Amino acid sequence: GDIVVIEKAGEIIPAVVEVKTDRRTGDERVFKMPTQCPACGHDVGRDPEQVAVRCVNASCPAQLRRRLEHFASRGAMDIEGLGEAMVEQLVEHGFARSIADIYALTAEQVASIPRTGEKSVANLLAGIEASKARPLWKLLFGLGILHVGASAARSLAGHFHTMDKIAKATVEEMEAISDIGKIMGQSVHRWFEDSANLETIQRLRDAGLNLGERDEHAAPTDATLADTTWVITGTLSQPREEIADLIRARGGKVTSAVSKKTTHVLAGEEAGSKLEKAQRLGITVFDEADFRQLLAG
């Protein structure tokens, strides 16, 4: 019931910076974190080093729905037709109990879902088939490994090139990559130690997905931005990933956090803490107009 002031921290995480105690009416109540998952009733747990409380039931239907939605999302495997409503129906009918089940779906199963016409069935199956050719980094991001965002997935795929090599990599080998720290390296290593996860990877391989072997590891088209490391922040005229691709194609690197290794920051509208940190560190800051001019030579 409190009124609070928040600011954007990191990418989009809302951080509470102030509680407006003068706005309290007396109707506020002390919040108690639940001890059971509201979706499946299983016990919850919390890593003592983190704030997040998580359901520890690997079969929790709410977690399954979110895993499937994330896997199919535009930023990950980009499966047309596999949105929130379809995911809910697939889980409810027992057609999808894991990510790998997406690739075992039949036209008959999908058609049996109420209000699903022939065109919807065809579009979904075509979207699933098309997703098999997505690059390794998109698959890696779509798996939902704790702490691994799109940028880290790109870095891992760009360094190791195949899922098998990532699976066999040590934490130390992952830490050697510039934007992969110890916590992320440990998380990835633990994920690949889980037999259920390895079974999922094998099923995806058997279904014909690209596990890196079909990726093109092409050299940058030019070296305009060679030896530069960029962080993109704020609102720009293009999605950040598209701009990041422009930088990578010219030999530059893109990371998610500002550090002493960062050489440039591209700041759009409403840039927040990343811009402030860059200014404190004396890092070169470009607005979008200057950036476009730089690309144009």
Side-chain angles (χ1 to χ4, degrees):
D2 262 331
I3 292 176
V4 298
V5 177
I6 62 172
E7 68 180 14
K8 188 169 70 170
E11 293 291 337
I12 56 170
I13 299 168
V16 177
V17 295
E18 181 186 357
V19 178
K20 305 295 285 186
T21 55
D22 59 319
R23 301 284 295 274
R24 286 179 173 170
T25 64
D27 292 332
E28 296 79 16
R29 58 187 177 83
V30 176
F31 176 78
K32 292 183 179 178
M33 188 66 72
T35 55
Q36 278 84 38
C37 171
C40 70
H42 202 285
D43 290 344
V44 299
R46 182 173 77 85
D47 185 324
E49 295 183 4
Q50 296 183 2
V51 175
V53 172
R54 294 185 172 89
C55 172
V56 296
N57 176 17
S59 301
C60 175
Q63 288 192 58
L64 173 58
R65 286 195 296 271
R66 291 297 295 124
R67 278 197 296 273
L68 294 171
E69 288 168 20
H70 172 71
F71 184 82
S73 67
R74 183 170 297 178
M77 296 299 278
D78 193 14
I79 302 177
E80 184 181 352
L82 193 52
E84 186 176 331
M86 179 57 73
V87 164
E88 186 167 350
Q89 290 289 335
L90 292 176
V91 173
E92 186 176 311
H93 285 76
F95 296 151
R97 294 186 174 88
S98 75
I99 286 169
D101 285 343
I102 291 172
Y103 296 95
L105 286 172
T106 65
E108 291 74 23
Q109 286 175 322
V110 180
S112 71
I113 296 173
R115 297 182 297 280
T116 303
E118 287 185 20
K119 187 175 181 180
S120 296
V121 173
N123 286 343
L124 174 58
L125 295 181
I128 291 171
E129 187 63 29
S131 73
K132 294 179 181 180
R134 302 283 184 252
L136 173 61
W137 77 264
K138 279 183 167 283
L139 173 57
L140 195 61
F141 176 50
L143 292 174
I145 301 172
L146 188 62
H147 303 308
V148 178
S151 178
R154 277 184 179 274
S155 296
L156 288 164
H159 183 86
F160 293 107
H161 300 322
T162 68
M163 188 72 80
D164 286 344
K165 289 181 180 177
I166 296 171
K168 294 174 183 175
T170 65
V171 175
E172 291 72 25
E173 287 172 328
M174 285 185 258
E175 276 189 84
I177 305 171
S178 61
D179 54 344
I180 307 294
K182 185 175 182 178
I183 291 176
M184 192 183 300
Q186 289 174 336
S187 179
V188 174
H189 193 261
R190 279 196 299 268
W191 195 92
F192 282 102
E193 285 184 321
D194 189 306
S195 59
N197 293 334
L198 294 179
E199 182 183 343
T200 294
I201 295 298
Q202 186 58 50
R203 289 185 64 195
L204 296 176
R205 188 194 308 278
D206 293 342
L209 272 73
N210 170 34
L211 271 62
E213 293 82 357
R214 304 202 296 271
D215 283 353
E216 292 183 12
H217 304 292
T221 55
D222 66 50
T224 305
L225 303 180
D227 301 320
T228 62
T229 300
W230 293 72
V231 169
I232 305 169
T233 184
T235 303
L236 299 154
S237 64
Q238 273 182 276
R240 289 186 191 179
E241 272 306 310
E242 291 182 11
I243 292 177
D245 284 340
L246 293 175
I247 294 171
R248 294 185 188 102
R250 289 160 175 79
K253 292 181 62 178
V254 181
T255 61
S256 58
V258 176
S259 70
K260 292 180 180 178
K261 295 181 180 179
T262 306
T263 60
H264 297 75
V265 167
L266 172 57
E269 297 293 326
E270 299 181 15
S273 57
K274 292 182 182 180
L275 174 58
E276 294 171 5
K277 185 173 182 180
Q279 290 169 334
R280 286 199 305 272
L281 294 174
I283 294 168
T284 302
V285 176
F286 278 71
D287 62 20
E288 187 167 0
D290 289 337
F291 174 72
R292 300 290 179 185
Q293 191 172 356
L294 175 67
L295 296 188

